Amino acid sequence: MAQPEPVPAPEPAPQVALAPEPPRVDDIVLPPPLPKPVEAKPPEQKPAPVPERVERKPVEKKETQEKAEKKPAPPKPAAAQASRPSRVASAPNPGEDSVGAREGQASWNAEVVAHIRRYVAYPSDGNGASGTAIVNVVIDRNGRLVSRRLAGSSGSPALDRAALSIIERAAPFPRFPPVMKQAQETRSVPLHMRPR
């Protein structure tokens, strides 16, 4: 028997790349449209609300008078009031060379002289002599006498002793006004004494 002839294998078909079919309109999916930019609107200007008028009840005068009567003002010492003139306390410029400071110093000096004059008395052992004794005094800001010494004699030992005694009796002196910033003040005080 004859052998059958082998059947040749079919040649593979050449592969041809086909161009893709163009998409159909129905198959096209578009991305969603982008949102339109929102225009920023300026904030609305609202008129300011008018506050409602609240009526307040008047406070009874009796209650306030009773409260005032229950709290009496503390008594103020007369010496402290006399030593602080209101014109000096309200000086606008408290510097040492300011007008307010000079006025305060002059006012305090006048107060000290007036205060000392209240204590001047002719000594019983003056023997009719007259004269002026000058006493240097040092006064601290609270009006305390720090020291005193005879700076100029009157010519009579009795009048000189009386002058030192007058200064001791006059202490304490008026306090410094707020414009006087120093801790102590030194003054020469002339004391004129003559028999009456």
Side-chain angles (χ1 to χ4, degrees):
M1 251 194 27
Q3 290 189 339
E5 280 187 34
V7 177
E11 280 188 33
Q15 293 185 352
V16 176
L18 297 175
E21 283 186 25
R24 291 184 293 178
V25 175
D26 294 343
D27 293 338
I28 298 176
V29 178
L30 295 175
L34 294 174
K36 292 183 180 179
V38 179
E39 294 180 14
K41 294 181 182 178
E44 293 181 20
Q45 297 291 333
K46 294 182 180 179
V50 178
E52 293 182 21
R53 194 167 184 180
V54 178
E55 291 187 27
R56 296 183 182 178
K57 294 181 180 179
V59 178
E60 292 183 23
K61 292 183 179 179
K62 291 179 183 177
E63 291 178 10
T64 55
Q65 288 175 352
E66 288 174 4
K67 289 179 183 176
E69 290 173 3
K70 290 180 183 178
K71 297 179 182 178
K76 295 181 181 179
Q81 290 176 350
S83 67
R84 293 183 182 158
S86 61
R87 182 173 57 104
V88 174
S90 63
N93 184 357
E96 285 186 27
D97 294 333
S98 71
V99 174
R102 286 192 300 265
E103 287 178 1
Q105 180 84 38
S107 175
W108 180 79
N109 287 341
E111 283 182 56
V112 169
V113 169
H115 180 77
I116 292 172
R117 281 187 186 152
R118 291 183 206 126
Y119 295 91
V120 174
Y122 190 80
S124 59
D125 62 344
N127 297 326
S130 63
T132 301
I134 299 173
V135 181
N136 278 349
V137 295
V138 178
I139 301 169
D140 74 4
R141 68 177 306 100
N142 292 319
R144 289 187 300 246
L145 178 64
V146 176
S147 67
R148 49 114 179 107
R149 70 174 185 83
L150 190 66
S153 176
S154 64
S156 165
L159 295 182
D160 293 344
R161 283 192 306 274
L164 293 173
S165 177
I166 289 167
I167 297 298
E168 285 179 8
R169 285 195 317 265
F173 299 96
R175 292 175 176 246
F176 291 3
V179 294
M180 289 177 63
K181 302 296 182 191
Q182 62 269 35
Q184 297 179 342
E185 184 68 25
T186 302
R187 291 278 134 224
S188 292
V189 180
L191 295 171
H192 309 289
M193 291 178 278
R194 60 179 179 267
R196 293 185 180 184

